[in-house]
Coordinates of all heavy atoms in Angstrom, one line a residue:
M1 N 0.9 -1.1 0.0 CA 0.0 0.0 0.0 C 0.9 1.2 0.0 O 1.8 1.4 0.9 CB -0.9 0.0 1.3 CG -1.8 1.2 1.3 SD -2.9 1.3 2.7 CE -2.8 -0.2 3.6
G2 N 0.7 2.1 -0.9 CA 1.5 3.4 -1.0 C 1.0 4.3 0.0 O 0.0 4.2 0.6
T3 N 1.8 5.3 0.2 CA 1.5 6.4 1.1 C 1.6 7.8 0.5 O 2.3 7.9 -0.5 CB 2.4 6.4 2.4 OG1 3.8 6.5 2.0 CG2 2.3 5.1 3.1
T4 N 0.9 8.8 1.0 CA 1.0 10.1 0.5 C 1.2 11.0 1.7 O 0.6 10.8 2.7 CB -0.4 10.5 -0.1 OG1 -0.6 9.6 -1.2 CG2 -0.3 11.9 -0.7
R5 N 2.1 11.9 1.6 CA 2.4 12.9 2.6 C 1.4 14.0 2.7 O 1.1 14.5 1.6 CB 3.8 13.4 2.5 CG 4.3 14.2 3.6 CD 5.8 14.5 3.4 NE 6.4 15.1 4.6 CZ 6.7 14.4 5.7 NH1 6.4 13.1 5.8 NH2 7.3 15.0 6.7
K6 N 0.8 14.3 3.8 CA -0.2 15.4 4.0 C 0.4 16.3 5.1 O 1.0 15.9 6.0 CB -1.5 14.8 4.4 CG -2.2 13.9 3.4 CD -2.9 14.7 2.4 CE -3.6 13.8 1.4 NZ -4.1 14.6 0.3
T7 N 0.0 17.6 4.9 CA 0.3 18.5 5.9 C -1.1 19.0 6.4 O -2.0 19.4 5.6 CB 1.1 19.8 5.3 OG1 2.2 19.2 4.7 CG2 1.3 20.8 6.4
I8 N -1.2 19.0 7.7 CA -2.5 19.5 8.3 C -2.2 20.5 9.4 O -1.1 20.6 9.9 CB -3.3 18.3 8.9 CG1 -2.6 17.7 10.1 CG2 -3.7 17.3 7.9 CD1 -3.5 16.8 11.0
T9 N -3.3 21.3 9.6 CA -3.2 22.4 10.7 C -4.2 22.1 11.7 O -5.4 21.8 11.4 CB -3.4 23.7 10.1 OG1 -2.4 24.0 9.0 CG2 -3.2 24.8 11.2
V10 N -3.8 22.0 13.0 CA -4.7 21.8 14.1 C -4.5 23.0 15.1 O -3.5 23.7 15.1 CB -4.4 20.4 14.8 CG1 -4.7 19.3 13.9 CG2 -3.0 20.4 15.4
T11 N -5.5 23.1 15.9 CA -5.5 24.2 16.9 C -4.5 23.7 18.0 O -4.2 22.6 18.1 CB -6.9 24.4 17.5 OG1 -7.3 23.2 18.2 CG2 -7.9 24.8 16.5
N12 N -4.1 24.7 18.8 CA -3.2 24.3 20.0 C -3.9 23.3 20.9 O -3.2 22.4 21.4 CB -2.8 25.6 20.8 CG -1.9 26.5 20.0 OD1 -1.1 26.0 19.1 ND2 -1.9 27.8 20.3
K13 N -5.2 23.5 21.1 CA -5.9 22.6 22.0 C -5.9 21.2 21.4 O -5.7 20.2 22.1 CB -7.3 23.1 22.2 CG -8.1 22.3 23.2 CD -9.6 22.9 23.4 CE -10.4 22.1 24.3 NZ -11.7 22.8 24.6
Q14 N -6.1 21.0 20.1 CA -6.1 19.8 19.4 C -4.7 19.2 19.5 O -4.6 17.9 19.7 CB -6.6 19.9 18.0 CG -8.1 20.3 17.8 CD -8.5 20.7 16.4 OE1 -7.7 21.2 15.7 NE2 -9.7 20.5 16.1
N15 N -3.7 20.0 19.3 CA -2.3 19.5 19.3 C -2.0 18.9 20.7 O -1.4 17.8 20.9 CB -1.4 20.6 19.0 CG 0.0 20.0 18.8 OD1 0.3 19.1 18.1 ND2 1.0 20.6 19.5
K16 N -2.5 19.6 21.8 CA -2.2 19.1 23.1 C -3.0 17.8 23.4 O -2.5 16.9 24.0 CB -2.8 20.1 24.2 CG -1.9 21.3 24.3 CD -2.4 22.3 25.3 CE -1.6 23.6 25.3 NZ -2.1 24.6 26.2
W17 N -4.1 17.6 22.8 CA -4.9 16.4 22.9 C -4.2 15.2 22.2 O -4.0 14.2 22.8 CB -6.3 16.5 22.3 CG -7.1 15.3 22.2 CD1 -7.2 14.4 21.2 CD2 -7.7 14.7 23.4 NE1 -7.9 13.4 21.6 CE2 -8.3 13.5 22.9 CE3 -7.9 15.1 24.7 CZ2 -9.1 12.6 23.7 CZ3 -8.6 14.2 25.5 CH2 -9.2 13.0 25.0
I18 N -3.7 15.5 21.0 CA -3.0 14.5 20.3 C -1.7 14.1 21.0 O -1.4 12.9 21.2 CB -2.6 15.0 18.8 CG1 -3.8 15.2 18.0 CG2 -1.6 14.0 18.1 CD1 -3.6 15.9 16.7
K19 N -1.0 15.0 21.6 CA 0.2 14.7 22.3 C -0.1 14.0 23.6 O 0.7 13.1 24.0 CB 1.0 16.0 22.7 CG 1.5 16.8 21.4 CD 2.5 16.1 20.7 CE 3.0 16.9 19.5 NZ 3.6 16.0 18.4
A20 N -1.2 14.3 24.2 CA -1.6 13.6 25.4 C -1.9 12.1 25.1 O -1.6 11.2 25.9 CB -2.9 14.2 26.0
Q21 N -2.5 11.8 24.0 CA -2.8 10.4 23.5 C -1.5 9.7 23.3 O -1.4 8.5 23.6 CB -3.7 10.4 22.3 CG -5.0 11.2 22.3 CD -5.8 10.8 23.6 OE1 -6.1 9.7 23.9 NE2 -6.0 11.8 24.5
I22 N -0.5 10.3 22.7 CA 0.7 9.7 22.5 C 1.5 9.5 23.8 O 2.0 8.4 24.1 CB 1.6 10.6 21.5 CG1 1.0 10.7 20.2 CG2 3.1 10.1 21.5 CD1 1.5 11.8 19.2
A23 N 1.5 10.5 24.7 CA 2.1 10.3 26.0 C 1.4 9.2 26.8 O 2.1 8.6 27.6 CB 2.0 11.7 26.8
A24 N 0.1 9.0 26.7 CA -0.5 7.9 27.4 C -0.2 6.5 26.8 O -0.7 5.6 27.3 CB -2.0 8.2 27.4
G25 N 0.5 6.6 25.7 CA 0.9 5.2 25.1 C -0.1 4.7 24.1 O 0.0 3.6 23.7
E26 N -1.2 5.5 23.8 CA -2.2 5.0 22.9 C -1.7 5.0 21.5 O -2.1 4.1 20.7 CB -3.4 6.0 23.0 CG -4.1 6.1 24.3 CD -4.9 4.8 24.7 OE1 -5.5 4.2 23.7 OE2 -4.9 4.5 25.8
F27 N -0.7 5.9 21.1 CA -0.2 5.9 19.8 C 1.3 6.3 19.9 O 1.7 6.8 20.9 CB -1.0 7.0 19.0 CG -2.5 6.7 18.9 CD1 -3.3 7.4 19.8 CD2 -2.9 5.9 17.9 CE1 -4.7 7.1 19.7 CE2 -4.3 5.6 17.9 CZ -5.2 6.3 18.8
T28 N 2.0 6.0 18.8 CA 3.4 6.3 18.9 C 3.8 7.6 18.3 O 4.9 8.2 18.6 CB 4.3 5.2 18.2 OG1 3.8 5.1 16.8 CG2 4.1 3.9 18.9
N29 N 2.9 8.2 17.4 CA 3.2 9.5 16.9 C 1.9 10.1 16.3 O 0.8 9.4 16.3 CB 4.2 9.3 15.7 CG 3.8 8.4 14.6 OD1 2.7 8.4 14.1 ND2 4.7 7.5 14.2
D30 N 2.0 11.3 15.8 CA 0.8 12.0 15.3 C 0.1 11.3 14.2 O -1.1 11.2 14.1 CB 1.2 13.5 14.9 CG 1.7 14.3 16.0 OD1 2.3 13.8 17.0 OD2 1.6 15.5 15.9
S31 N 1.0 10.9 13.3 CA 0.4 10.2 12.1 C -0.4 8.9 12.4 O -1.5 8.7 11.8 CB 1.5 9.8 11.1 OG 2.1 11.0 10.6
E32 N 0.0 8.2 13.4 CA -0.7 7.0 13.8 C -2.0 7.3 14.3 O -3.0 6.7 14.1 CB 0.1 6.2 14.8 CG -0.4 4.9 15.2 CD 0.4 4.1 16.2 OE1 1.6 4.1 16.1 OE2 -0.3 3.6 17.2
Y33 N -2.1 8.4 15.2 CA -3.3 8.9 15.7 C -4.3 9.3 14.6 O -5.5 9.0 14.6 CB -3.1 10.0 16.7 CG -4.3 10.6 17.3 CD1 -5.0 9.9 18.2 CD2 -4.8 11.9 17.0 CE1 -6.2 10.3 18.8 CE2 -6.0 12.4 17.5 CZ -6.6 11.6 18.5 OH -7.8 12.1 19.0
I34 N -3.8 10.1 13.7 CA -4.7 10.6 12.6 C -5.2 9.4 11.7 O -6.3 9.4 11.4 CB -3.9 11.7 11.7 CG1 -3.5 12.9 12.5 CG2 -4.8 12.1 10.5 CD1 -4.6 13.6 13.2
R35 N -4.3 8.5 11.4 CA -4.7 7.3 10.6 C -5.8 6.5 11.4 O -6.8 6.1 10.8 CB -3.5 6.4 10.3 CG -2.6 7.0 9.2 CD -1.6 6.0 8.7 NE -0.8 5.5 9.8 CZ 0.4 6.0 10.1 NH1 0.8 7.1 9.5 NH2 1.1 5.5 11.1
D36 N -5.6 6.4 12.7 CA -6.7 5.7 13.5 C -8.0 6.5 13.4 O -9.1 5.8 13.3 CB -6.2 5.6 14.9 CG -7.2 4.8 15.8 OD1 -7.3 3.5 15.5 OD2 -7.9 5.4 16.7
L37 N -8.0 7.7 13.5 CA -9.3 8.6 13.3 C -9.9 8.3 12.0 O -11.1 8.2 11.9 CB -9.0 10.0 13.5 CG -8.6 10.6 14.9 CD1 -8.2 12.0 14.9 CD2 -9.7 10.2 15.9
I38 N -9.1 8.3 10.9 CA -9.6 8.0 9.6 C -10.2 6.7 9.5 O -11.3 6.4 8.9 CB -8.5 8.2 8.6 CG1 -8.1 9.7 8.5 CG2 -9.0 7.8 7.1 CD1 -6.9 10.0 7.7
R39 N -9.5 5.6 10.0 CA -10.1 4.3 10.0 C -11.4 4.2 10.7 O -12.4 3.6 10.2 CB -9.1 3.3 10.6 CG -7.9 2.9 9.7 CD -7.2 1.7 10.2 NE -6.4 2.1 11.5 CZ -5.2 2.6 11.5 NH1 -4.6 2.9 10.4 NH2 -4.6 3.0 12.7
R40 N -11.4 4.8 11.9 CA -12.8 4.8 12.6 C -13.8 5.5 11.9 O -15.0 5.1 11.9 CB -12.5 5.5 14.0 CG -11.6 4.7 15.0 CD -11.5 5.5 16.2 NE -10.5 4.9 17.1 CZ -10.5 5.0 18.4 NH1 -11.5 5.6 19.0 NH2 -9.5 4.5 19.1
D41 N -13.5 6.6 11.3 CA -14.5 7.3 10.4 C -15.1 6.4 9.3 O -16.2 6.4 9.0 CB -14.0 8.6 9.9 CG -15.0 9.5 9.3 OD1 -16.1 9.7 9.9 OD2 -14.8 10.0 8.2
Q42 N -14.1 5.8 8.6 CA -14.4 4.9 7.5 C -15.3 3.7 8.0 O -16.4 3.5 7.4 CB -13.1 4.3 6.9 CG -12.4 5.3 6.1 CD -11.0 4.8 5.6 OE1 -10.4 4.0 6.4 NE2 -10.6 5.2 4.4
A43 N -15.0 3.2 9.2 CA -15.8 2.1 9.7 C -17.2 2.6 10.1 O -18.2 1.9 9.8 CB -15.1 1.5 10.9
R44 N -17.3 3.8 10.7 CA -18.6 4.3 11.1 C -19.5 4.6 9.9 O -20.6 4.2 9.8 CB -18.3 5.6 11.9 CG -19.6 6.2 12.4 CD -19.3 7.6 13.1 NE -18.8 8.6 12.3 CZ -19.6 9.4 11.5 NH1 -20.9 9.3 11.6 NH2 -19.1 10.4 10.7
K45 N -18.9 5.1 8.8 CA -19.6 5.4 7.6 C -20.1 4.1 6.9 O -21.2 4.0 6.4 CB -18.8 6.3 6.7 CG -18.8 7.7 7.2 CD -18.3 8.7 6.2 CE -18.6 10.1 6.7 NZ -17.5 10.9 7.0
A46 N -19.3 3.0 7.0 CA -19.7 1.8 6.4 C -20.8 1.2 7.2 O -21.8 0.6 6.6 CB -18.5 0.8 6.4
D47 N -20.8 1.3 8.5 CA -21.9 0.8 9.4 C -23.2 1.6 9.0 O -24.2 1.0 9.0 CB -21.6 1.1 10.9 CG -20.5 0.1 11.3 OD1 -20.2 -0.9 10.7 OD2 -20.0 0.3 12.5
I48 N -23.1 2.9 8.8 CA -24.3 3.7 8.5 C -24.8 3.3 7.2 O -26.1 3.2 7.0 CB -23.9 5.2 8.5 CG1 -23.7 5.7 10.0 CG2 -25.0 6.0 7.8 CD1 -23.1 7.1 10.1
E49 N -23.9 2.9 6.3 CA -24.4 2.5 4.9 C -25.2 1.2 5.0 O -26.2 1.0 4.4 CB -23.3 2.4 3.9 CG -22.9 3.8 3.4 CD -24.0 4.6 2.8 OE1 -24.8 4.1 2.0 OE2 -24.1 5.8 3.2
V50 N -24.8 0.2 5.9 CA -25.4 -1.0 6.1 C -26.8 -0.7 6.7 O -27.8 -1.3 6.2 CB -24.6 -1.9 7.0 CG1 -25.4 -3.1 7.5 CG2 -23.3 -2.4 6.3
I51 N -26.9 0.1 7.7 CA -28.2 0.4 8.3 C -29.1 1.1 7.3 O -30.2 0.8 7.2 CB -28.0 1.4 9.5 CG1 -27.3 0.6 10.6 CG2 -29.2 1.9 10.0 CD1 -26.7 1.5 11.7
R52 N -28.5 2.0 6.5 CA -29.3 2.7 5.5 C -29.9 1.7 4.5 O -31.1 1.8 4.1 CB -28.5 3.8 4.8 CG -29.3 4.6 3.8 CD -28.4 5.8 3.2 NE -28.4 6.8 4.2 CZ -27.3 7.4 4.7 NH1 -26.1 7.1 4.2 NH2 -27.3 8.3 5.6
A53 N -29.0 0.8 4.0 CA -29.5 -0.2 3.0 C -30.6 -1.0 3.6 O -31.6 -1.4 3.0 CB -28.3 -1.0 2.5
G54 N -30.5 -1.4 4.9 CA -31.5 -2.2 5.6 C -32.8 -1.5 5.7 O -33.9 -2.1 5.5
L55 N -32.7 -0.2 6.0 CA -33.9 0.6 6.1 C -34.6 0.8 4.7 O -35.9 0.6 4.6 CB -33.6 2.0 6.6 CG -33.3 2.1 8.0 CD1 -32.7 3.5 8.4 CD2 -34.4 1.7 9.0
I56 N -33.9 0.9 3.7 CA -34.4 1.0 2.3 C -35.1 -0.3 1.9 O -36.2 -0.4 1.4 CB -33.3 1.4 1.3 CG1 -32.9 2.8 1.5 CG2 -33.8 1.1 -0.1 CD1 -31.7 3.3 0.7
E57 N -34.4 -1.5 2.3 CA -35.0 -2.8 2.0 C -36.2 -2.9 2.8 O -37.3 -3.5 2.2 CB -34.0 -3.8 2.4 CG -34.4 -5.3 2.1 CD -33.5 -6.3 2.5 OE1 -32.3 -6.0 2.8 OE2 -33.9 -7.5 2.6
A58 N -36.3 -2.6 4.0 CA -37.5 -2.7 4.8 C -38.6 -1.9 4.3 O -39.8 -2.3 4.2 CB -37.2 -2.3 6.3
E59 N -38.3 -0.6 3.8 CA -39.4 0.2 3.3 C -40.0 -0.3 2.0 O -41.2 -0.2 1.7 CB -38.8 1.6 3.0 CG -38.6 2.4 4.2 CD -37.9 3.8 3.9 OE1 -37.4 4.0 2.9 OE2 -38.0 4.7 4.8
Q60 N -39.2 -1.0 1.2 CA -39.6 -1.6 -0.1 C -40.1 -3.1 0.1 O -40.5 -3.5 -1.0 CB -38.4 -1.5 -1.0 CG -38.0 -0.2 -1.4 CD -36.7 -0.1 -2.3 OE1 -36.0 -1.1 -2.4 NE2 -36.4 1.0 -2.7
S61 N -40.2 -3.5 1.2 CA -40.5 -5.0 1.4 C -42.1 -5.2 1.4 O -42.5 -6.3 1.3 CB -40.0 -5.5 2.7 OG -40.7 -4.9 3.8
G62 N -42.8 -4.1 1.4 CA -44.3 -4.3 1.2 C -45.0 -3.5 2.3 O -44.4 -2.9 3.2
K63 N -46.3 -3.7 2.3 CA -47.2 -3.0 3.3 C -47.0 -3.6 4.7 O -46.9 -4.8 4.9 CB -48.6 -3.1 2.9 CG -49.5 -2.2 3.7 CD -51.0 -2.3 3.1 CE -51.9 -1.4 3.9 NZ -53.2 -1.3 3.4
P64 N -46.9 -2.7 5.7 CA -46.7 -3.2 7.1 C -47.9 -3.9 7.6 O -49.0 -3.6 7.2 CB -46.3 -2.0 7.9 CG -46.8 -0.9 7.1 CD -46.8 -1.3 5.7
E65 N -47.7 -4.8 8.4 CA -48.9 -5.6 9.1 C -48.9 -5.1 10.5 O -47.9 -4.9 11.2 CB -48.6 -7.1 9.0 CG -48.6 -7.6 7.5 CD -48.3 -9.1 7.5 OE1 -48.4 -9.8 8.5 OE2 -48.1 -9.5 6.4
C66 N -50.1 -5.2 11.1 CA -50.3 -4.8 12.5 C -49.7 -5.9 13.4 O -49.7 -7.0 13.0 CB -51.8 -4.7 12.8 SG -52.5 -3.3 12.1
F67 N -49.1 -5.5 14.5 CA -48.4 -6.4 15.4 C -49.3 -6.7 16.6 O -49.8 -5.8 17.2 CB -47.1 -5.9 15.9 CG -46.4 -6.8 16.9 CD1 -45.8 -7.9 16.4 CD2 -46.3 -6.5 18.2 CE1 -45.1 -8.8 17.3 CE2 -45.7 -7.3 19.1 CZ -45.1 -8.4 18.7
D68 N -49.7 -7.9 16.8 CA -50.6 -8.3 18.0 C -49.6 -8.8 19.0 O -49.2 -10.0 19.0 CB -51.5 -9.3 17.5 CG -52.6 -9.7 18.6 OD1 -52.3 -9.4 19.8 OD2 -53.6 -10.3 18.2
A69 N -49.4 -8.0 20.1 CA -48.5 -8.3 21.1 C -49.0 -9.5 21.9 O -48.3 -10.4 22.4 CB -48.2 -7.1 22.0
G70 N -50.3 -9.5 22.2 CA -50.9 -10.7 22.9 C -50.8 -12.0 22.2 O -50.3 -12.9 22.9
A71 N -51.0 -12.0 21.0 CA -50.8 -13.2 20.2 C -49.3 -13.7 20.2 O -49.1 -14.9 20.3 CB -51.3 -13.0 18.8
F72 N -48.5 -12.7 20.1 CA -47.0 -13.0 20.1 C -46.6 -13.6 21.4 O -45.9 -14.6 21.4 CB -46.2 -11.7 19.8 CG -44.8 -11.9 19.8 CD1 -44.1 -12.5 18.8 CD2 -44.0 -11.5 20.9 CE1 -42.7 -12.7 18.8 CE2 -42.7 -11.7 21.0 CZ -42.0 -12.3 19.9
K73 N -47.1 -13.0 22.5 CA -46.8 -13.6 23.8 C -47.3 -15.0 24.0 O -46.6 -15.9 24.5 CB -47.4 -12.7 24.9 CG -46.6 -11.4 25.1 CD -47.2 -10.6 26.2 CE -46.6 -9.2 26.3 NZ -47.3 -8.4 27.3
Q74 N -48.5 -15.3 23.5 CA -49.1 -16.6 23.6 C -48.3 -17.6 22.8 O -48.0 -18.7 23.2 CB -50.5 -16.6 23.1 CG -51.5 -15.9 24.1 CD -52.9 -15.9 23.6 OE1 -53.2 -16.2 22.4 NE2 -53.9 -15.6 24.5
E75 N -47.9 -17.1 21.6 CA -47.1 -18.0 20.7 C -45.7 -18.3 21.4 O -45.3 -19.5 21.4 CB -46.9 -17.3 19.4 CG -46.1 -18.2 18.4 CD -45.8 -17.4 17.1 OE1 -46.6 -16.5 16.7 OE2 -44.9 -17.7 16.4
M76 N -45.1 -17.4 22.0 CA -43.8 -17.6 22.6 C -44.0 -18.5 23.9 O -43.1 -19.3 24.1 CB -43.2 -16.3 23.0 CG -42.7 -15.4 21.8 SD -41.5 -16.3 20.8 CE -42.4 -16.6 19.3
F77 N -45.1 -18.2 24.6 CA -45.2 -19.1 25.8 C -45.5 -20.6 25.4 O -45.0 -21.5 26.0 CB -46.6 -18.6 26.6 CG -46.8 -19.3 27.8 CD1 -46.0 -19.2 29.0 CD2 -47.8 -20.3 27.9 CE1 -46.2 -19.9 30.1 CE2 -48.1 -21.0 29.0 CZ -47.3 -20.8 30.1
A78 N -46.3 -20.7 24.3 CA -46.6 -22.1 23.8 C -45.3 -22.7 23.3 O -45.0 -24.0 23.5 CB -47.6 -22.1 22.7
K79 N -44.4 -22.0 22.7 CA -43.2 -22.5 22.1 C -42.1 -22.7 23.1 O -41.4 -23.8 23.1 CB -42.7 -21.5 21.0 CG -41.6 -22.0 20.1 CD -41.4 -21.0 19.0 CE -40.3 -21.5 18.1 NZ -40.1 -20.6 16.9
Y80 N -41.9 -21.7 24.1 CA -40.9 -21.8 25.0 C -41.2 -22.0 26.4 O -40.4 -22.2 27.3 CB -40.0 -20.6 24.9 CG -39.4 -20.3 23.5 CD1 -40.0 -19.3 22.7 CD2 -38.4 -21.1 23.1 CE1 -39.4 -19.2 21.4 CE2 -37.8 -20.9 21.9 CZ -38.3 -19.9 21.0 OH -37.8 -19.8 19.8
G81 N -42.6 -22.0 26.7 CA -43.1 -22.2 28.1 C -42.7 -21.3 29.2 O -42.6 -21.6 30.3
K82 N -42.5 -20.0 28.8 CA -42.2 -19.0 29.8 C -43.2 -18.0 29.9 O -44.0 -17.6 29.1 CB -40.8 -18.3 29.5 CG -39.7 -19.2 29.8 CD -38.4 -18.4 29.6 CE -37.2 -19.3 30.1 NZ -36.0 -18.7 30.2

């Protein structure tokens, strides 16, 4: 995997935060911390896309049916005895 060098600007407060994460042993350098943030953002966005796709599939699955909680409880009691 190739790499590309980037230059970023952060506030003094953000820089102190990054340095504190490194000092705490969470990361070995600034770049590792930033890469971790990017990976987490990518994973979060992938999770959101899975949820979004599920919602779209559910919306397109047809007309909703009424849920009868009493019948459901009876069915579960008959099936599992609780």
Side-chain angles (χ1 to χ4, degrees):
M1 177 180 356
T3 61
T4 302
R5 187 170 193 74
K6 296 279 184 188
T7 302
I8 65 167
T9 304
V10 297
T11 65
N12 290 335
K13 186 176 180 180
Q14 291 167 334
N15 188 52
K16 287 179 185 177
W17 175 261
I18 294 169
K19 297 299 181 194
Q21 303 313 300
I22 294 167
E26 297 290 325
F27 303 94
T28 58
N29 59 48
D30 296 27
S31 293
E32 187 180 316
Y33 180 71
I34 300 301
R35 286 191 300 271
D36 184 66
L37 291 176
I38 293 168
R39 282 190 294 273
R40 289 179 194 210
D41 187 48
Q42 289 171 325
R44 184 181 66 84
K45 288 194 166 118
D47 290 346
I48 289 170
E49 284 306 311
V50 168
I51 292 167
R52 184 174 284 127
L55 289 170
I56 290 169
E57 181 181 346
E59 287 176 341
Q60 295 174 348
S61 68
K63 188 174 182 176
E65 298 177 12
C66 291
F67 179 74
D68 184 340
F72 177 77
K73 287 179 185 178
Q74 286 179 345
E75 181 182 334
M76 291 300 109
F77 183 76
K79 190 173 184 177
Y80 300 106
K82 288 191 172 190

